[in-house]
Every structure is written in C-alpha cells, then in structure tokens.
Amino acid sequence: HSWDEAFGYIFGTARNLGDPVAEIGKSDSFLNEQIGLVDSDPDFAGVANGIFQALITGREAIIDEDFDTLDQQIGFLRTSISQVVAVRAIFHIQQGKSILSDINNEPTAAFHDLSKGYGLIHGLEFALDENGTPLFSEEEVGDFLVSLSGGNENNDGFWEARDNLQILDEISD
C-alpha cells in the first residue's frame, strides 16, 4: 500500500499513466513539479525516469518477494528524491541571491524564493542516503535555517541575508 501511495504522490496525477514521465513537472505543483524542474537541468537529466523505473521495479519486487531488489530500489529512491530536494533548495537560495544582488530589484521577489528555499532546506532533515542514513542531522538543518533567517539575536529574517549575500553561498555550499 505504501509503495503504491508513493507512486501516486509522484506520478498519480498524470493523465497518461502509460508514460507519466512525459508529463513530469506538469501534473501538479508538489514533488512531481520539483522532479520535473530538476530533470529539465542537463546536469540531472534522467532523474525522473530513474525514479519512475525504481518505483516500477520495486513494485515488481514486492510481488515477487524479491527483497534484495526492493532494498536496492528503496536506496535509489532515497538518494534521488533527496537530491531533488537539495537541488531545488540551492536553486531557490541562489535565485534569491541573484535578485538581491540587483540593487534595483524589490526584495519581495527574493524573499519569495528564499522562503521556498527555507521550506526545502527544512525537508533536508529527512534526506537519506541509500542505506537510510540521514544526510543532515536535525541540528545541521536547524543551523542552515537559522543562518538563512538572520542568524542573530534580532531574528532579522531574510533582511540579514539581503545585507550579507555570503550567507546564501555558505548555505548553498
């Protein structure tokens, strides 16, 4: 049930379930969209198809009670989906930085991107490697979030990032 539910969260809104990868990024505004955006980057092309194939192979492994194959697919999905979250977090942080770098731009557009980055960084607390080991501790993620939202006793929020763009590069790195 949980495996099928995971498939549904990513590909379930596709109109063409015979080839849902063709619609990746167009079916919803959640994980499907994020995978589609990462997949459209030449550096990460194929991530959507890899996730799709892992879900199909894993489902077959469940039916066949082939738990070694299932574990391999779980490992692949953990790393691939975690990578999607990290890539999109970095994108939004750098997009916010780019907007803030232009003195003529209003900070509200940058803050919109930084807010998205903030939410995606929070999701990194649940990012896992292929063995199920967290990529970041709760404390590390908390440190990223504090840095992004001011990192000082005044809790200046994104205004601090506006005045110190280096913070955004440090978080991205």
Side-chain angles (χ1 to χ4, degrees):
H1 170 77
S2 296
W3 195 268
D4 296 338
E5 189 174 22
F7 180 91
Y9 283 138
I10 299 171
F11 296 106
T13 60
R15 289 181 187 89
N16 178 3
L17 288 179
D19 187 14
V21 176
E23 294 181 35
I24 196 74
K26 301 171 188 160
S27 298
D28 70 27
S29 59
F30 302 109
L31 189 54
N32 177 288
E33 179 184 35
Q34 299 305 313
I35 292 170
L37 290 166
V38 171
D39 191 72
S40 69
D41 181 326
D43 292 334
F44 301 99
V47 70
N49 190 57
I51 291 171
F52 177 74
Q53 293 303 323
L55 287 165
I56 296 300
T57 302
R59 186 65 176 101
E60 291 170 355
I62 291 169
I63 292 167
D64 296 340
E65 297 183 13
D66 179 357
F67 300 112
D68 289 336
T69 298
L70 179 60
D71 287 344
Q72 290 171 350
Q73 301 314 305
I74 290 169
F76 179 84
L77 290 167
R78 284 176 174 155
T79 57
S80 296
I81 293 171
S82 295
Q83 182 182 49
V84 166
V85 173
V87 167
R88 292 304 295 165
I90 292 167
F91 170 83
H92 284 293
I93 290 168
Q94 289 301 307
Q95 184 70 16
K97 176 187 168 200
S98 177
I99 295 168
L100 289 173
S101 296
D102 184 345
I103 194 77
N104 297 316
N105 283 333
E106 289 292 321
T108 53
F111 292 175
H112 177 81
D113 273 297
L114 294 176
S115 294
K116 284 184 175 184
Y118 188 96
L120 288 159
I121 289 170
H122 194 289
L124 291 175
E125 182 180 335
F126 309 100
L128 304 171
D129 71 11
E130 65 276 358
N131 298 314
T133 304
L135 295 176
F136 300 98
S137 69
E138 183 178 353
E139 182 179 339
E140 288 172 309
V141 171
D143 289 346
F144 293 148
L145 296 175
V146 166
S147 293
L148 184 58
S149 63
N152 61 42
E153 63 279 354
N154 297 327
N155 195 22
D156 293 331
F158 298 140
W159 292 104
E160 180 73 15
R162 183 191 70 168
D163 297 332
N164 184 0
L165 297 177
Q166 182 181 353
I167 289 172
L168 303 177
D169 284 332
E170 290 171 4
I171 293 168
S172 295
D173 289 343

